[in-house]
Amino acid sequence: MAKDSEVSARERIISAAIELADHQGTGRVTMSAVAVRAKVSRPTLYSYFPNVSRILDAWVVQEVAKVDSRLQGVLDADAGSDPIALLENYIDLQLTYFVESPTRALLTAAALRSPPQSVTEHVERFRTDVRSLLQILHGQGRLRADVDVDLLAGLVIAGITSMTPHVLKKLMSPMEARHQLLDILFRGSLRP
């Protein structure tokens, strides 16, 4: 039973910190405020996390695991699909993730300045998956022979990063952003 209450306290702490960051910004969150909001004592709080930064890092790790699972679900569910359709779904999921919660975007942007290992690993897995889809297109002869698949995969990742602020500001939907991104990237890459 103690283990359940430990998980519960840890989750309450992380949730409290995220709620405070959502309302006040990450720079204004204090350990005292987190303890009050999570309804835990300060010694309990410090037994889990030494500072607010570590709480936010723990949240990022959880979020990365969720996104990775959802991305794998796209690949598994659509395994026989056209690689371009798979790539579209994959990119949509990444862009939609940021729309679902402004806090996610805020914290992810903060994490990318000094990314925790989980974010770095996620980006590398994402790049590998995108590269694999592009490699299939290349193998099918649907990309020009001179296209560098590694470079194109990197451009997809950079494009998502560039499109995210437009999606967050609601200048375009995730699907519009994905369409523009793929149009820009593939216009010179796909065979006519």
Side-chain angles (χ1 to χ4, degrees):
M1 187 78 167
K3 188 147 184 117
D4 289 340
S5 65
E6 286 177 27
V7 171
S8 178
R10 185 177 192 279
E11 293 304 315
R12 284 197 325 267
I13 290 166
I14 293 171
S15 293
I18 296 309
E19 290 168 7
L20 290 167
D22 194 29
H23 297 300
Q24 304 170 1
T26 56
R28 294 188 178 153
V29 178
T30 65
M31 291 294 275
S32 296
V34 171
V36 168
R37 188 161 194 122
K39 297 181 177 142
V40 298
S41 68
R42 289 185 52 125
T44 298
L45 174 63
Y46 281 101
S47 73
Y48 288 101
F49 301 102
N51 55 45
V52 172
S53 178
R54 291 291 176 99
I55 300 171
L56 299 179
D57 285 349
W59 179 82
V60 169
V61 168
Q62 286 180 347
E63 289 298 302
V64 166
K66 287 178 192 173
V67 172
D68 283 346
S69 174
R70 290 170 66 187
L71 288 171
Q72 191 58 51
V74 167
L75 292 177
D76 292 345
D78 298 336
S81 295
D82 175 55
I84 291 180
L86 263 173
L87 190 59
E88 289 173 345
N89 292 339
Y90 212 65
I91 292 169
D92 284 347
L93 192 142
Q94 281 286 66
L95 290 167
T96 302
Y97 167 81
F98 292 106
V99 173
E100 291 173 355
S101 169
T103 303
R104 285 184 178 153
L106 172 79
L107 293 176
T108 303
L112 290 176
R113 288 188 198 102
S114 175
Q117 186 67 27
S118 61
V119 171
T120 303
E121 290 169 359
H122 167 73
V123 171
E124 284 311 309
R125 278 191 302 276
F126 186 69
R127 183 187 313 273
T128 299
D129 290 342
V130 168
R131 185 188 183 287
S132 295
L133 293 170
L134 293 171
Q135 196 67 42
I136 292 168
L137 285 172
H138 196 275
Q140 292 174 343
R142 294 172 67 188
L143 294 179
R144 289 190 346 233
D146 63 335
V147 169
D148 181 326
V149 172
D150 289 321
L151 177 61
L152 190 56
L155 290 171
V156 169
I157 304 300
I160 291 169
T161 302
S162 297
M163 292 293 187
T164 299
H166 298 285
V167 171
L168 287 172
K169 292 176 185 172
K170 299 186 189 256
L171 299 174
M172 61 180 68
S173 72
M175 285 178 271
E176 290 169 326
R178 182 254 301 153
H179 177 73
Q180 283 191 21
L181 172 62
L182 291 180
D183 185 51
I184 291 165
L185 293 174
F186 284 150
R187 189 176 311 153
S189 303
L190 291 175
R191 286 182 182 262

